Amino acid sequence: MLSRVAHCLYWMSRYIERADNTARIVDVNLQLLLDFRKLDDQSLAEHWMPIIESTGDEEKFLSRHPKATGPSVTEFLVFDTENPNSIISSISQARENARMVRDQITVELWVELNRLYLWIRSTDARDLWRSSPADFFAQIRNTSLLLVGTIYATVVHNEGWYFMQVGKFLERADKITRILDVRHTIFPSKETPRTMSQRDALELSSMLRSCSAWDAYKAAYGAEVRPEWVAEMLIFSDEFPRSVRFCVEKLDDALRRISGVAPRRFSNDAEKLSGRLLAELEYGSIDEGLAIGLHEYLDQLQVKFNAIGAALFNAYISQPFTNLEDEIIVQQEMQQQQ
Amino acid sequence: MAGADGKIRPHYAKFERLLREMPREEFEQKRHAADLSFLRQGITFNVYGDSAGTERIFPFDLVPRIIPAKEWERIEAGLVQRITALNLFLHDIYHEQNILKDGTIPPFYVLSGKHFRREFVNFSVPKDIYIHICGTDLIRDAQGNYLVLEDNGRCPSGVSYVLENRGAMKRTFPTMFEEIGVRPVEHYPQELLKMLQYTAPDGVAEPNVVLLTPGSYNSAYFEHTYLARQMGIEIVEGRDLVVRDGRVFMRTTKGQKQVHVIYRRLDDDFLDPTVFRRDSALGVPGLIHSYRSGNVSLANSIGTGIADDKVMYYFVPRMIKYYLDQEPILPNVPTYLASEEKDFAYIMENLDKLVVKSANESGGYGMLMGPKSTQEEIETFRELIKADPRNYIAQPMISLSTHPTRQDDGTFEGRHIDLRPFALYGEKVVIVPGGLTRVALRKGSLVVNSSQGGGSKDTWVLYGDE
């Protein structure tokens, strides 16, 4: 498979997952606001700014919007084409990557992705968003589930497919840590033990819902919402498909399928890093995370995800001779040696 | 569709009846569905210089152009004759240059051609084939004769629309095909692949064939991915390829894999920055060296652009006579060369009646339609021609034949059309029965190019004559 094609498939899949996760975050936080009584500028900013921060775009946001309110934040995260991580940008990027490898993906996948792209740019989408935000986000979530299903059911499970898997699970793992990080102050740590307020409980349950984890949580832990259990489930569960450990397990498997290397062995840094991270998650517990503070712990996880992404790029994608001028000289040298 | 007497011509009779019997609403519904399916599938082209809505569908008209068997036979024979003569001509001018030496074509015209590649004189291209794929634009004059308007022997595009239009028509009118007896076009990709494999360097049993695209911003990118997918070959950009030891490799996740045949959709100038344009970031450094070493084949070959030169077009009937000793089956449109003294005087006197074309432009650019131009435009061209007569030809304004085409208000009106069939030159010449029928959607317009308000129709070649 061409390296460039692998790169496109990887990013297409990542961007589909990114659009899905952003939709989940915005949706849940919009709904959460309905439960609060007092909504002055200050508390609105406290509610929304961490979400902007979780995408790492606060500077861009503040340069475009003076206040963090529901409308300004959703505009920024959903429809703003200048924000590279907005839903509309993610979908456009996914589609652009798909377009570059049209010949490698199925017609079904392309048509669905293209339909989503045409829809999000249409006035229909705007109208639905105005009249019923919940339906709007449901539409995006459902389409991305449809895309995930289409990829699973129509694309040949070959090397390219595993690159898509890597992209999807890396993005999902990363987004889970960011969703948790938005409300990291709720989680107890050694230095600052705290009691939960009612608002904290609401925020935790909304967090679970945004990860489609609400039912799974209740089945596993009962109705009581405790921060350490929530974190345990979203990071360490080996069964829940939106936990970090689950994602890393799939990611690690996909990496080994690409290279054909057996488990517990590695042929490149990406496999080494993902194998090590998987072992940490398999044999670790939430106590370690809370001991150093959840924010710090999540930060470390994100650094590891980035390292895996970079190693993957070096192993398969990165091209040794990219500089045109240098390559021209190489060619001229070679042609003198006949 | 109708003859001069107003009667429906026999090969249109069945379609006309079926269309007449169809309720107007049903037709409109089908049309809407066809448009939507093109949009959904992303069968679009990019409009240069338009940053907002960069993609548009190529407007598609549901009334097909129908060609009876006997008419097609003649077209096919004419195209085979033409591509054969052009290939012999190219081989000659890059080797012995007999046709120049004995003065059949004045050497000046070839040697001054912008796309004549003197670097490739005495270089033998694989299997001696220069033009592998030729898209020849045909028109019909008032008497119903097919005339050649121009040859496209570099990277002709449009064939994906031939195939997609057929797909759309089959979805829209599923029952008509059997009843009317339309010859299929769907085997084009197989024929193309077969031809590409045939041109592989000697001794390569299973050649690795790739399609080289300028990239996803190219207006024909959809076509590139479409053809690559249909042929089951990789589509590559310049940066995916690297030349080592005179061989071309593509960079894959499993290391480098050798490439033997490149179906390139990139002009000569951009192929290799070490040889042609140094600023080309689209090409592959060292590619030409590899090509010259015989380790990789290119389709079309390098240097075919000279045959696209509109001044060379003037000489094609002579080439046919010279190499094949035949009369052209498909005649040229009468043409005047601005660098011939007599023709020059005629052109200068009749600019307001003539169509002037510059020798190396395409896509409807760089031309003057005398009768439809302002005095100022005419004067601008007069100066251009005077400054560089070698670069201009003139032709009388040919009124392209018209064809019933749906208008925005739902009625049908005649609009001007042309036809671009695609000839493949491999072990033998293969022409899929059909081609791209382009239609000028604006009333009275003669410009069918997609970049300038043109649309397309499906082209049906019948098994019989009715």
Side-chain angles (χ1 to χ4, degrees):
Chain A
M1 156 156 296
L2 285 178
S3 299
R4 182 177 52 81
V5 170
H7 197 218
C8 286
L9 293 172
Y10 167 84
W11 277 108
M12 176 192 74
S13 176
R14 261 199 101 142
Y15 276 118
I16 292 171
E17 188 68 26
R18 187 170 295 177
D20 176 45
N21 282 289
T22 309
R24 287 163 184 277
I25 295 172
V26 180
D27 183 24
V28 164
N29 282 287
L30 274 176
Q31 289 188 32
L32 187 59
L33 279 185
L34 304 177
D35 295 331
F36 297 153
R37 281 165 80 194
K38 194 171 78 116
L39 290 175
D40 50 38
D41 282 1
Q42 178 65 27
S43 54
L44 275 175
E46 276 170 20
H47 179 74
W48 286 113
M49 273 325 281
I51 294 165
I52 300 286
E53 282 158 16
S54 81
T55 62
D57 299 315
E58 58 265 43
E59 216 166 279
K60 185 153 221 151
F61 175 81
L62 290 172
S63 74
R64 301 168 71 77
H65 302 278
K67 273 189 214 164
T69 62
S72 68
V73 172
T74 44
E75 177 66 31
F76 182 71
L77 289 180
V78 179
F79 289 111
D80 192 342
T81 49
E82 299 284 309
N83 172 10
N85 292 311
S86 67
I87 292 176
I88 199 166
S89 297
S90 299
I91 292 172
S92 303
Q93 285 295 324
R95 192 246 192 195
E96 189 59 26
N97 277 287
R99 203 166 80 83
M100 293 206 270
V101 292
R102 259 305 296 273
D103 55 314
Q104 300 283 334
I105 58 176
T106 56
V107 175
E108 289 91 340
L109 173 57
W110 166 254
V111 168
E112 277 315 317
L113 185 52
N114 197 37
R115 194 205 301 270
L116 176 63
Y117 167 81
L118 293 170
W119 177 76
I120 190 98
R121 287 162 55 102
S122 70
T123 48
D124 286 1
R126 279 272 180 183
D127 291 346
L128 182 62
W129 151 242
R130 265 186 226 105
S131 62
S132 169
D135 288 334
F136 173 83
F137 291 114
Q139 175 83 28
I140 292 173
R141 269 201 320 270
N142 292 341
T143 309
S144 71
L145 288 176
L146 181 62
L147 289 170
V148 169
T150 307
I151 290 172
Y152 190 85
T154 68
V155 178
V156 182
H157 289 207
N158 60 8
E159 194 184 352
W161 190 80
Y162 285 109
F163 272 105
M164 289 191 231
Q165 292 292 98
V166 172
K168 174 172 76 180
F169 285 111
L170 204 52
E171 179 68 24
R172 188 182 292 173
D174 182 73
K175 274 289 183 289
I176 296 165
T177 61
R178 287 173 194 276
I179 289 171
L180 272 167
D181 202 21
V182 168
R183 303 291 171 228
H184 70 264
T185 51
I186 297 174
F187 295 89
S189 70
K190 280 232 173 79
E191 296 90 62
T192 55
R194 55 171 291 174
T195 47
M196 286 242 296
S197 66
Q198 196 200 353
R199 178 176 172 145
D200 290 344
L202 280 172
E203 294 198 334
L204 281 176
S205 51
S206 81
M207 183 188 294
L208 286 169
R209 274 199 301 274
S210 74
C211 297
S212 300
W214 183 233
D215 293 326
Y217 178 87
K218 280 190 294 187
Y221 299 92
E224 188 191 351
V225 178
R226 289 176 58 171
E228 56 273 30
W229 291 348
V230 171
E232 184 178 71
M233 166 144 172
L234 292 182
I235 299 174
F236 290 99
S237 168
D238 61 345
E239 292 170 337
F240 178 61
R242 288 185 170 274
S243 82
V244 174
R245 176 175 162 186
F246 186 95
C247 293
V248 173
E249 204 176 307
K250 294 286 176 194
L251 165 73
D252 190 62
D253 178 58
L255 285 174
R256 274 155 230 284
R257 296 284 190 137
I258 291 168
S259 65
V261 168
R264 316 187 68 138
R265 303 199 174 272
F266 61 86
S267 62
N268 59 46
D269 280 354
E271 289 161 356
K272 184 164 125 185
L273 292 168
S274 87
R276 186 158 82 190
L277 177 57
L278 180 59
E280 283 171 22
L281 290 164
E282 280 173 344
Y283 299 105
S285 76
I286 189 60
D287 298 339
E288 298 160 22
L290 295 175
I292 58 168
L294 192 67
H295 176 69
E296 177 60 29
Y297 181 71
L298 294 171
D299 214 43
Q300 287 176 9
L301 280 177
Q302 285 163 17
V303 170
K304 287 170 188 165
F305 299 149
N306 288 344
I308 293 172
L312 178 82
F313 185 80
N314 281 331
Y316 295 109
I317 318 288
S318 140
Q319 309 282 347
F321 338 96
T322 39
N323 184 327
L324 190 63
E325 288 301 315
D326 292 350
E327 180 62 12
I328 287 175
I329 292 167
V330 170
Q331 289 302 325
Q332 287 170 349
E333 282 177 8
M334 283 202 306
Q335 290 173 24
Q336 301 303 312
Q337 303 166 352
Q338 300 282 307
Chain B
M1 189 180 272
D5 54 2
K7 281 209 186 96
I8 299 296
R9 295 164 66 206
H11 49 280
Y12 275 101
K14 281 184 192 151
F15 180 80
E16 197 273 342
R17 179 175 52 77
L18 292 166
L19 186 65
R20 196 156 22 90
E21 286 165 0
M22 183 179 295
R24 183 53 57 82
E25 304 82 66
E26 191 185 333
F27 182 84
E28 286 303 308
Q29 206 184 346
K30 281 176 184 295
R31 192 191 60 82
H32 186 66
D35 278 358
L36 206 60
S37 114
F38 278 117
L39 186 65
R40 288 240 169 96
Q41 294 180 62
I43 304 175
T44 52
F45 66 93
N46 300 353
V47 183
Y48 295 123
D50 178 359
S51 60
T54 37
E55 291 168 39
R56 267 194 234 151
I57 64 166
F58 189 20
F60 176 59
D61 186 73
L62 282 183
V63 186
R65 178 213 202 117
I66 304 178
I67 300 176
K70 212 171 273 154
E71 222 169 277
W72 176 254
E73 241 168 62
R74 195 177 163 75
I75 295 174
E76 194 175 21
L79 293 173
V80 171
Q81 182 191 50
R82 212 169 163 94
I83 192 174
T84 309
L86 283 171
N87 269 317
L88 289 169
F89 165 70
L90 286 164
H91 185 269
D92 188 19
I93 60 167
Y94 284 115
H95 291 83
E96 294 79 22
Q97 303 189 331
N98 291 327
I99 200 167
L100 307 184
K101 284 177 189 152
D102 64 17
T104 307
I105 297 177
F108 155 73
Y109 285 117
V110 171
L111 302 180
S112 65
K114 188 174 152 200
H115 295 293
F116 179 67
R117 298 272 171 225
R118 56 193 69 241
E119 308 92 320
F120 282 85
V121 170
N122 282 327
F123 171 71
S124 287
V125 300
K127 306 277 192 294
D128 282 342
I129 302 170
Y130 282 85
I131 300 179
H132 301 78
I133 302 144
C134 190
T136 303
D137 290 344
L138 303 175
I139 55 171
R140 293 176 80 212
D141 63 11
Q143 287 74 44
N145 302 311
Y146 283 92
L147 306 174
V148 176
L149 193 60
E150 64 182 53
D151 304 287
N152 296 283
R154 279 174 290 171
C155 311
S157 61
V159 76
S160 61
Y161 292 105
V162 174
L163 302 167
E164 283 291 349
N165 287 356
R166 179 59 58 85
M169 287 299 269
K170 283 192 166 162
R171 284 192 296 275
T172 311
F173 304 118
T175 53
M176 277 192 193
F177 282 82
E178 209 175 324
E179 193 166 335
I180 296 178
V182 183
R183 292 178 64 185
V185 294
E186 285 82 354
H187 53 293
Y188 180 84
Q190 286 107 280
E191 295 292 347
L192 178 59
L193 183 60
K194 220 192 287 173
M195 180 277 286
L196 291 168
Q197 287 167 338
Y198 172 72
T199 62
D202 291 334
V204 180
E206 284 178 28
N208 179 18
V209 181
V210 300
L211 187 154
L212 176 62
T213 175
S216 66
Y217 295 104
N218 185 268
S219 64
Y221 187 70
F222 164 75
E223 172 155 314
H224 304 162
T225 58
Y226 180 88
L227 289 174
R229 197 174 69 232
Q230 297 295 321
M231 289 190 280
I233 64 172
E234 293 279 359
I235 175 166
V236 300
E237 294 179 16
R239 57 194 161 120
D240 295 325
L241 299 180
V242 61
V243 177
R244 285 294 174 267
D245 301 327
R247 284 162 215 282
V248 182
F249 296 90
M250 57 186 200
R251 306 163 196 244
T252 77
T253 53
K254 300 263 153 72
Q256 297 179 347
K257 188 176 171 200
Q258 195 178 344
V259 170
H260 304 102
V261 181
I262 300 177
Y263 174 28
R264 46 97 168 213
R265 298 293 299 254
L266 204 59
D267 277 339
D268 288 358
D269 280 339
F270 292 91
L271 277 177
D272 184 344
T274 64
V275 177
F276 302 122
R277 277 179 65 157
R278 197 177 163 99
D279 62 342
S280 168
L282 305 173
V284 187
L287 177 61
I288 298 306
H289 174 64
S290 175
Y291 180 58
R292 295 194 75 115
S293 314
N295 293 326
V296 70
S297 302
L298 295 174
N300 292 351
S301 295
I302 290 177
T304 61
I306 183 68
D308 274 16
D309 190 314
K310 293 195 173 61
V311 172
M312 284 309 123
Y313 160 86
Y314 174 88
F315 294 108
V316 175
R318 284 195 209 175
M319 295 174 200
I320 292 171
K321 184 86 188 136
Y322 186 83
Y323 296 112
L324 305 174
D325 196 22
Q326 294 170 357
E327 291 304 317
I329 299 170
L330 296 170
N332 271 8
V333 173
T335 302
Y336 305 93
L337 295 185
S339 42
E340 295 287 312
E341 219 170 292
K342 233 172 71 190
D343 286 4
F344 180 79
Y346 178 82
I347 294 170
M348 285 296 136
E349 271 165 40
N350 296 286
L351 265 182
D352 55 336
K353 301 186 192 71
L354 294 169
V355 178
V356 179
K357 295 176 179 172
S358 63
N360 290 298
E361 297 271 358
S362 61
Y365 296 103
M367 60 189 281
L368 171 82
M369 306 271 262
K372 306 205 169 196
S373 301
T374 62
Q375 196 59 37
E376 203 185 336
E377 284 164 341
I378 290 177
E379 291 315 313
T380 311
F381 259 79
R382 191 186 302 282
E383 292 313 310
L384 286 173
I385 298 168
K386 275 185 191 160
D388 185 11
R390 160 64 179 84
N391 204 28
Y392 291 92
I393 63 156
Q395 294 168 339
M397 186 97 162
I398 303 274
S399 188
L400 309 181
S401 56
T402 62
H403 196 270
T405 302
R406 183 196 168 274
Q407 302 308 303
D408 285 338
D409 60 5
T411 60
F412 293 90
E413 269 186 41
R415 286 292 179 269
H416 294 292
I417 54 173
D418 77 349
L419 173 65
R420 177 181 288 184
F422 292 86
L424 298 174
Y425 197 119
E427 206 164 358
K428 54 186 180 17
V429 181
V430 175
I431 303 171
V432 292
L436 180 64
T437 293
R438 296 183 297 178
V439 52
L441 294 172
R442 276 197 291 269
K443 194 180 175 105
S445 168
L446 290 168
V447 185
V448 295
N449 303 85
S450 57
S451 47
Q452 305 196 22
S456 77
K457 290 165 172 284
D458 194 12
T459 311
W460 291 0
V461 173
L462 302 187
Y463 280 107
D465 286 324
E466 308 193 347

